[in-house]
Amino acid sequence: MSRTALRICPLCEATCGLTLTVEGSRVTGARGDREDVFSKGFLCPKGAAFPAVDGDPDRLGGPLVRRDGELREATWQEAFDAVAAGLRPVVERHGPHAVGVVLGNPNVHTVAGALYPPVLLAGLGTRSLFTASTLDQMPKHVSSGLLFGDANAIPVPDLDRTDHLLLIGANPLESNGSLCTAPDFPGRLKALRARGGTLTVIDPRRTRTARLADRHVTIRPGADALLLAAMAHVLFDEDLVRLGELAPHVQGLDELRAALRDFTPEGVAAACDVDADTVRALARELAAAPTAAVYGRIGSCTVPHGTLASWLVDVLNILTGNLDRPGGALFPQAATDRTPRPAGPGRGFALGRWHSRVSRHPEAKGELPLSALAEEIDTATEEGEPIRALIAVAANPVLSAPDGDRLDKALDSLEFMVSVDPYLNETSRHAHVVLPPPPPSQAPHHDFAFNTLAVRHQVRYNRPAVPLAPGRMAETEIMARLVLAVTGLHGADPAAVDDTVVAQTLGRAVQDPHSPVHGRDPKELAAALTGEDGPERRLDLMLRLGPYGDGFGARPDGLTLARLLEHPHGIDLGPLRPRLPQPLRTVSGKVELLPEPIAADLPRLRQALTASPAALVLVGRRHLRSNNSWLHNVPALTGGSNRCTLHVHPDDAARLGVRDGQPVRVRGAGGEVTAPAEVTEDVRPGVVSLPHGWGHDRPGTRLGHASTDPGVNVNQLLDGSLLDPLSGNAVLNGFPVEVVPVAEKVGALSSTKP
Ligand SMILES: Nc1nc2c(c(=O)[nH]1)N[C@H]1C(S)=C(S)[C@@H](COP(=O)(O)OP(=O)(O)OC[C@H]3O[C@@H](n4cnc5c(=O)[nH]c(N)nc54)[C@H](O)[C@@H]3O)O[C@H]1N2
Ligand SMILES: Nc1nc2c(c(=O)[nH]1)N[C@H]1C(S)=C(S)[C@@H](COP(=O)(O)OP(=O)(O)OC[C@H]3O[C@@H](n4cnc5c(=O)[nH]c(N)nc54)[C@H](O)[C@@H]3O)O[C@H]1N2
Ligand code: SF4
Ligand SMILES: [Mo]
């Protein structure tokens, strides 16, 4: 007997609704849910492979605990006993900062990852927090923090209404979009062209997205901040600045004009390898479009001037009056956002409130650079304790972060490590305890994070499509028990964690004069919450206190969990709307166009005008059927063009003596790897491209299929020292490499590391 169940896909930021076919407790099929209010039936090959991802036989069936050096099957009780016994003594002896926490990407795709890490961090009180954000979008958080006073106030391009989209270092035809949640991004780009709009793509590779564009600019990697600065210069120079309705909310225009005076189109042309006329045309097109949105992603963030580039993206949106207007770039308002407060000055955004111990990197948004994790473990200083224990949740930094070999050794030296991960992989193999979450079909789903970045307001929630299998523990409970174990409450009822959060949240809300529940009794409100378990009650709480919520009766037709459950395909809440000045939290209460830390970083950008570019640099790429480091174990998602090859332009291939298919050795500051060359005009000359997430050849993992075609770890080419200084974000794109052909028939050289 088969049945169907709804489940939002957790495999990328597009959040497509899936209709699953379930036979017994097994998911046997997945198609796009045509009635989903947001995705309307779209799905990509990854979504179609949901059953295979969900049913991968290599997923761990229960916890593992290290005994006599070996990871062995154990009961949940034994596993949490081991966690408490491993972590508490480190906290007690060395203080909370000696416990590191690493949060990887899938945390933004799970209910557990949204609800429990904040509680864990508050309970533990550690400053040793490292997340995938510093391999990704931290520059955008920092630029938003500085411009708007809120690191999470990230403007999203109004894809469905804009007349002109300038897309920088993003390839949504493969990635399906990021920091811009839009199911069927490809279809939305085609619709933009069909309604007469224009698409410009800036990317050193001729990507599938670039092929769709009206104009493709093959910039030299790492030079976007220069290009964007020159575009802003042109807007000032040619009197094209039109703040429009933004004018009363913006300060620092004259200072900005002065700060960008040196960045002329002629001045940046050589460094960008983009001629001055093109720079001018890009600026004029942006200014002339009735509405336009500038949007930058991985290629604009994971570079030495990532924060400046991210800042300039919004500067261009502001100078052309496109910020906060339909068709431009707007601030979404998610259903679980906090009760909106009235506009007015805020506390602003502080950077560098503390520093990493070894290289003195400033914290950003409470995080230290993931690039510095290995040294924070393996290097003693007089400053304080090294990290001696680690909690890794949905994180595979051995492959995802720079210099995995060093991190590998560092992890091995820890007194204790726990991984919450479904796989025994390159990182979790170092753990003393592995706590596997159930497959996604057995987990509830709500997009806490991505709804704050979505191109349309909507809200959807799925209960687990399949009941929790015997012996499984929900990831929410795993995380709640982890919180108890590190805070010395091992053995207490995990529901207490949720009850505490609910009580604290309501306690604050009733004191807040702007809250719909101001002055009410928190106990009475807590008793009114519905939901089958703690996580559901917390969702109900957030929905009811949120911008569309019922305010516990204050707005009787407002949103509650019960109402959401009546709409299994979701509730549409309308298009993005102008919100300024309400989201601003700067000290001035305005958009601060030229914040001091940005101004202080501009001289470094000026130096880049005259620096001589490296002969050969490497950039990454994503494949439609990939997902960072963890989907190479699913046969349906591997093979074909999804291979770990080095793309080389024919001119470079000729110069280097490299033939198509030949193994080549790639050398970087952190080491070397050998991969087959793929000679293609899809990369510009002077640039080679190797995808990330590969290198599944380390012993002690349980990734049967992935290890048959392991590929190489591109991040081994990095030594962790290249960062964007303001955000601590790793430089993963545009770094110098050397490439030499390997004499063929030397099989032993297939993967070499120094
Ligand atoms: N060179 C280079 N390196 C990069 C990038 C690049 O472009 N180039 N991209 C960077 C970016 S943007 C990111 S976000 C990072 C991502 O890197 P990571 O943060 O390491 O994330 P993933 O590789 O997606 O998955 C991490 C782990 O999550 C586990 N996992 C999967 N589902 C679940 C779940 O439901 N619960 C739990 N607890 N665990 C789960 C997987 O088994 C895997 O071990 O990589 C970065 N690294
Ligand atoms: N299929 C698939 N989808 C994914 C993922 C995946 O691994 N596979 N990962 C998910 C994650 S974690 C994220 S963060 C998103 C990322 O989403 P995107 O940012 O859209 O993904 P990328 O494919 O990395 O696109 C980055 C582009 O930047 C270009 N680039 C590199 N350096 C530069 C530069 O200096 N300047 C400019 N202008 N361009 C440059 C690269 O050539 C590449 O085409 O994708 C998500 N979706
Ligand atoms: S686009 Fe993303 S969310 Fe949609 S089906 Fe594909 S992987 Fe899943
Ligand atoms: Mo990412």
Side-chain angles (χ1 to χ4, degrees), residues 45-62:
K46 275 196 290 187
F50 182 96
V53 173
D54 197 68
D56 184 349
D58 280 344
R59 279 179 184 270
L60 299 173

Side-chain angles (χ1 to χ4, degrees), residues 5-24:
L6 300 175
R7 205 323 173 169
I8 293 165
C9 177
L11 300 177
C12 88
E13 301 183 30
T15 72
C16 303
L18 305 180
T19 306
L20 304 179
T21 309
V22 182
E23 287 173 40

Side-chain angles (χ1 to χ4, degrees), residues 217-527:
V217 179
T218 55
I219 194 168
R220 190 192 310 283
D224 299 82
L226 289 172
L227 176 78
L228 301 178
M231 286 173 64
H233 174 102
V234 172
L235 295 178
F236 282 118
D237 195 45
E238 300 189 2
D239 198 15
L240 297 172
V241 173
R242 298 283 180 277
L243 294 184
E245 315 228 325
L246 290 172
H249 308 305
V250 170
Q251 70 160 45
L253 196 62
D254 293 336
E255 293 82 351
L256 177 69
R257 179 200 306 263
L260 297 178
R261 196 158 284 148
D262 308 354
F263 297 96
T264 62
E266 281 72 18
V268 304
C272 298
D273 199 11
V274 176
D275 60 75
D277 288 345
T278 302
V279 180
R280 285 205 172 82
L282 289 169
R284 289 172 189 157
E285 284 163 11
L286 192 65
T291 64
V294 187
Y295 161 73
R297 222 22 305 272
I298 285 291
S300 69
C301 282
T302 56
V303 287
H305 303 285
T307 300
L308 291 183
S310 298
W311 164 70
L312 284 159
V313 162
D314 286 329
V315 163
L316 289 171
N317 282 326
I318 294 163
L319 295 182
T320 51
N322 280 302
L323 183 78
D324 199 48
R325 79 166 172 197
L330 298 104
F331 300 97
Q333 175 96 81
T336 54
D337 280 352
R338 271 188 227 148
T339 317
R341 254 158 256 183
R347 268 191 294 177
F349 174 75
L351 268 174
R353 292 163 298 172
W354 58 87
H355 289 76
S356 72
R357 200 174 42 82
V358 181
S359 292
R360 308 293 302 157
H361 296 301
E363 64 75 35
K365 204 169 164 271
E367 300 184 21
L368 298 174
L370 198 40
S371 297
L373 174 60
E375 68 179 22
E376 290 295 305
I377 298 172
D378 71 17
T379 307
T381 63
E382 285 167 12
E383 296 285 318
E385 295 287 335
I387 291 172
R388 294 168 194 268
L390 199 68
I391 302 171
V393 185
N396 193 5
V398 169
L399 294 189
S400 310
D403 199 352
D405 286 350
R406 179 171 177 185
L407 191 55
D408 236 350
K409 292 197 194 83
L411 296 180
D412 250 348
S413 74
L414 289 167
E415 285 174 30
F416 185 78
M417 172 172 169
V418 52
S419 272
V420 182
D421 204 287
Y423 287 104
L424 190 57
N425 65 15
E426 297 76 16
T427 298
S428 61
R429 74 193 179 108
H430 293 285
H432 296 82
V433 177
V434 184
L435 304 170
S441 62
Q442 296 176 30
H445 193 86
H446 174 73
D447 285 296
F448 290 94
F450 298 124
N451 285 349
T452 70
L453 297 162
V455 299
R456 194 167 171 94
H457 295 136
Q458 40 69 46
V459 57
R460 294 165 294 159
Y461 174 67
N462 304 140
R463 283 187 165 155
V466 173
L468 212 52
R472 285 286 185 192
M473 185 181 281
E475 187 163 11
T476 48
E477 183 177 340
I478 293 174
M479 291 300 294
R481 288 188 184 275
L482 200 52
V483 171
L484 295 172
V486 295
T487 51
L489 296 169
H490 174 48
D493 181 359
V497 173
D498 299 307
D499 292 343
T500 306
V501 174
V502 167
Q504 283 172 348
T505 309
L506 285 171
R508 276 193 302 268
V510 297
Q511 307 271 325
D512 176 358
H514 308 298
S515 169
V517 295
H518 181 234
R520 292 180 63 180
D521 171 14
K523 287 212 183 67
E524 171 226 331
L525 298 173

Side-chain angles (χ1 to χ4, degrees), residues 4-8 15-20 31-43 183 458-462 564 566-572:
T4 59
L6 300 175
R7 205 323 173 169
I8 293 165
T15 72
C16 303
L18 305 180
T19 306
L20 304 179
R31 56 201 157 77
D33 171 16
R34 282 208 207 111
E35 289 170 70
D36 183 287
V37 292
F38 195 20
S39 65
K40 303 197 162 103
F42 180 79
L43 97 169
Q458 40 69 46
V459 57
R460 294 165 294 159
Y461 174 67
N462 304 140
L564 187 50
E566 288 165 13
H567 296 85
H569 307 281
I571 299 175
D572 183 59

Side-chain angles (χ1 to χ4, degrees), residues 143-150 243 245-253 318 323 331 343-349 580-595:
S143 73
S144 279
L146 295 171
L147 274 166
F148 311 124
D150 178 354
L243 294 184
E245 315 228 325
L246 290 172
H249 308 305
V250 170
Q251 70 160 45
L253 196 62
I318 294 163
L323 183 78
F331 300 97
R347 268 191 294 177
F349 174 75
L580 285 180
Q582 189 275 329
L584 301 177
R585 289 286 169 272
T586 50
V587 174
S588 61
K590 308 238 180 209
V591 176
E592 297 181 356
L593 266 185
L594 185 64

Side-chain angles (χ1 to χ4, degrees), residues 679-721:
V679 178
T680 166
E681 292 192 341
D682 289 352
V683 281
R684 53 161 276 159
V687 177
V688 291
S689 169
L690 193 64
H692 73 284
W694 295 86
H696 307 291
D697 53 359
R698 294 175 200 248
T701 63
R702 211 176 286 172
L703 297 166
H705 180 69
S707 62
T708 61
D709 181 16
V712 293
N713 178 10
V714 64
N715 288 325
Q716 200 49 55
L717 301 171
L718 292 161
D719 63 7
S721 66

